[in-house]
Amino acid sequence: MVTLAILSGAGAVAFERPALLVAAVGPLAWLVSRQYAFVRAAGIAVSGLDVEFTPERRTTPAGKPLSVTVSAKLPRPVSAVVRIEPDVPVGAAADAESTMLLESPATDGSLSFDVTWRVAGRYELPPARVVVEDAAGLFSVETTMGDSVVVDVDPARATDVLVRGGRSDRFVPLGISKPWLAGQGTEVADIREYKPGDPTNHIEWKATARRGSLHIREFEAETNPSVMVVFDARARLSAGETGGTKLAYLREVALSFLQRSRNVSEPLGLTVVSDDGRPTMLEPGSAASHYKQVREQLFEAGSESGSQTSQSRRSPGSARAAALALETEQSAFARQLEPFFQARAPYASAVANDPLYRAIVRHGSVAGGDSLTVICTDDADRTALVEAVTAARRFGSRVLVFLTPTARFDGRLTQDRLDEFERVRAQLAGMPNVWAYEVAPGHSIGTSEGEGDTEPQSAVGQHSTAGRGDADTETNVAEVQ
């Protein structure tokens, strides 16, 4: 009613002044006609525009630019400007912002741009942002178009993932070099030319003198032990920046072991830890289809939520044993200590119910005595972590632990927190036949450790099959041949 009264009043004024009416109708009619024309053009563009993403390849190494072509096609020319703006994928960096314009009479076009992912994983090329507007910029409509395209990013030799541990306090790049089993047997399999990183104690001096260049002996492996990867995919591992979470960096570690096992046809098993306490397990295998299944599991891991924590330091085994002993002990001393052990009882239950600990115990039922257990997790629950590694030692001769420090991923990095992490890592590394490593984002290390603190070595693919021998000796994976 109010609107009608206003219009009636305006009409009365206009009819009293015909010149004013003519002056008002002209621009209004022009605006209405432009709007009508835009609505028709936008309808054709939005309903008929076809946007397609075509990556150069569907699988690419981390750190290597991937060329992506975006093509767009209209069914016929439209009296509007169509702007297509590809979005930068999660966790990736683009070489430049790219925009494609379709202006009448053009009906198709394409553009290419490069994207690079720092960390291995499964990523999507998202739909493009499409803006349709009239030439005068008076009207516009915005939407997204194009089907998402999945790209698998594999670990690369040059990687953003750095590890640190063992005798060296420097970070080394995560990478793949040669099989761990080379040089561990007693029968000479071959004599070949020396390559950087080969063990110097395998140099064949007679062949070196005869051929004029360094040559080494390669030995047949005495065994071909299986590798059992325990991958923690609980919700808390999603901490960190987009595309650079704890989970992303640990996934690259696990994928590196997969690549190495596949290269040498080594049996590989996988246990994926989830918040519900029911781990996904793949028993060791070496068929091509098995490696593909492990790869798919690693790419898909990390969709569940929830977590559990524990703060006590007493081992679950000793707590249960002490509580059981006190049930039959009637002395005054036992009665005095009974409340203490009752208070500790929740600890044993909490650790026993920890998803990582339970996964390790279950994983141990399929791990052989000569297997290598690789644990990829964080330091958020340090008590349960220590107990889980202790349990893993009971099922395999060697245990590798790769840890993402919470301090590097939650935005509250301090030296005190890094020192606390290092104490836990050193505690694990001090266990017999256990090697513990810190996993960190390479692009951020310079802010806390100083520039030039890395060494051009590989941290995966050179681990010894021999036992450590001395429990107090820490060994860098990159140094053991």
Side-chain angles (χ1 to χ4, degrees):
M1 294 297 292
V2 174
T3 303
L4 182 59
I6 293 174
L7 291 176
S8 299
V13 172
F15 280 110
E16 288 179 1
R17 299 181 181 179
L20 180 61
L21 176 61
V22 173
V25 169
L28 181 61
W30 177 83
L31 189 63
V32 170
S33 65
R34 290 297 299 257
Q35 184 180 24
Y36 177 73
F38 172 74
V39 169
R40 291 191 58 188
I44 296 172
V46 171
S47 62
L49 181 64
D50 181 34
V51 178
E52 184 177 359
F53 288 84
T54 307
E56 180 183 7
R57 51 191 177 275
R58 293 297 184 96
T59 300
T60 187
K64 181 176 182 179
L66 174 69
S67 178
V68 178
T69 299
V70 182
S71 58
K73 185 176 180 62
L74 286 167
R76 60 190 177 89
V78 295
S79 56
V81 178
V82 181
R83 188 169 71 248
I84 299 100
E85 301 175 350
D87 196 7
V88 178
V90 170
D95 57 351
E97 293 187 5
S98 302
T99 300
M100 182 199 318
L101 292 179
L102 294 182
E103 298 182 84
S104 184
T107 58
D108 60 79
S110 65
L111 66 84
S112 297
F113 60 97
D114 290 343
V115 293
T116 306
W117 286 273
R118 293 196 311 258
V119 184
R122 174 163 289 167
Y123 300 93
E124 283 189 353
L125 297 172
R129 176 174 176 259
V130 176
V131 180
V132 183
E133 56 188 3
D134 72 320
L138 296 174
F139 310 103
S140 68
V141 62
E142 180 178 328
T143 185
T144 56
M145 290 186 181
D147 295 332
S148 297
V149 177
V150 175
V151 175
D152 288 342
V153 180
D154 288 324
R157 290 179 182 271
T159 176
D160 187 57
V161 181
L162 301 182
V163 297
R164 174 168 67 176
R167 284 195 295 259
S168 174
D169 63 352
R170 291 177 177 268
F171 282 97
V172 297
L174 178 71
I176 303 169
S177 55
K178 61 179 185 295
W180 298 341
L181 301 179
Q184 299 305 317
T186 56
E187 297 293 327
V188 177
D190 192 17
I191 295 177
R192 62 168 176 81
E193 193 168 359
Y194 175 88
K195 296 180 180 179
D198 286 336
T200 56
N201 60 333
H202 289 173
I203 293 177
E204 172 55 54
W205 294 108
K206 291 183 180 179
T208 295
R210 185 169 60 254
R211 301 177 186 181
S213 61
L214 283 175
H215 281 69
I216 67 165
R217 300 183 300 272
E218 275 197 323
F219 298 90
E220 293 182 352
E222 295 177 345
T223 61
N224 191 27
S226 61
V227 175
M228 298 293 295
V229 176
V230 180
F231 184 72
D232 195 343
R234 286 177 286 177
R236 75 187 192 202
L237 275 297
S238 63
E241 63 185 30
T242 303
T245 63
K246 294 179 182 179
L247 191 71
Y249 282 90
L250 291 174
R251 180 184 285 113
E252 180 150 340
V253 173
L255 287 170
S256 295
F257 278 92
L258 167 63
Q259 283 187 344
R260 197 206 59 80
S261 293
R262 184 173 54 199
N263 290 343
V264 298
S265 299
E266 180 180 66
L268 178 77
L270 175 67
T271 297
V272 178
V273 182
S274 59
D275 287 296
D276 61 10
R278 296 191 295 269
T280 301
M281 297 188 65
L282 295 174
E283 294 191 11
S286 55
S289 59
H290 177 78
Y291 291 135
K292 184 177 180 180
Q293 189 177 6
V294 171
R295 186 172 182 267
E296 286 297 311
Q297 288 285 347
L298 287 173
F299 277 137
E300 295 296 333
S303 60
E304 305 200 29
S305 60
S307 63
Q308 294 180 343
T309 58
S310 174
Q311 298 298 326
S312 178
R313 294 290 178 182
R314 186 176 175 84
S315 73
S318 60
R320 285 193 294 269
L324 180 63
L326 282 175
E327 288 181 1
T328 56
E329 178 63 55
Q330 299 299 321
S331 67
F333 179 69
R335 286 193 297 273
Q336 185 177 2
L337 290 183
E338 187 171 3
F340 170 79
F341 286 108
Q342 287 178 346
R344 294 292 186 179
Y347 159 84
S349 176
V351 172
N353 291 325
D354 177 77
L356 177 63
Y357 180 84
R358 293 182 63 181
I360 291 290
V361 172
R362 186 176 174 186
H363 142 96
S365 64
V366 298
D370 61 345
S371 67
L372 173 73
T373 298
V374 180
I375 302 174
C376 301
T377 186
D378 67 356
D379 66 330
D381 187 350
R382 295 169 182 176
T383 300
L385 170 63
V386 172
E387 295 297 344
V389 174
T390 301
R393 288 181 52 234
R394 296 196 292 266
F395 301 115
S397 58
R398 291 156 296 139
V399 180
L400 297 182
V401 187
F402 291 89
L403 300 171
T404 48
T406 301
R408 291 195 187 276
F409 291 85
D410 64 1
R412 297 184 292 116
L413 179 63
T414 65
Q415 189 58 50
D416 288 343
R417 296 184 71 199
L418 289 179
D419 290 342
E420 290 176 5
F421 167 83
E422 179 57 24
R423 283 191 286 270
V424 175
R425 190 206 63 78
Q427 177 185 357
L428 296 176
M431 298 179 181
N433 292 325
V434 174
W435 290 263
Y437 295 89
E438 175 184 353
V439 180
H443 67 281
S444 67
I445 294 304
T447 61
S448 56
E449 276 71 31
E451 300 294 339
D453 198 31
T454 60
E455 296 175 352
Q457 302 179 41
S458 172
V460 174
Q462 298 181 338
H463 201 276
S464 170
T465 58
R468 181 181 302 189
D470 182 358
D472 295 328
T473 302
E474 292 187 55
T475 310
N476 193 319
V477 175
E479 296 171 350
V480 178
Q481 304 296 331

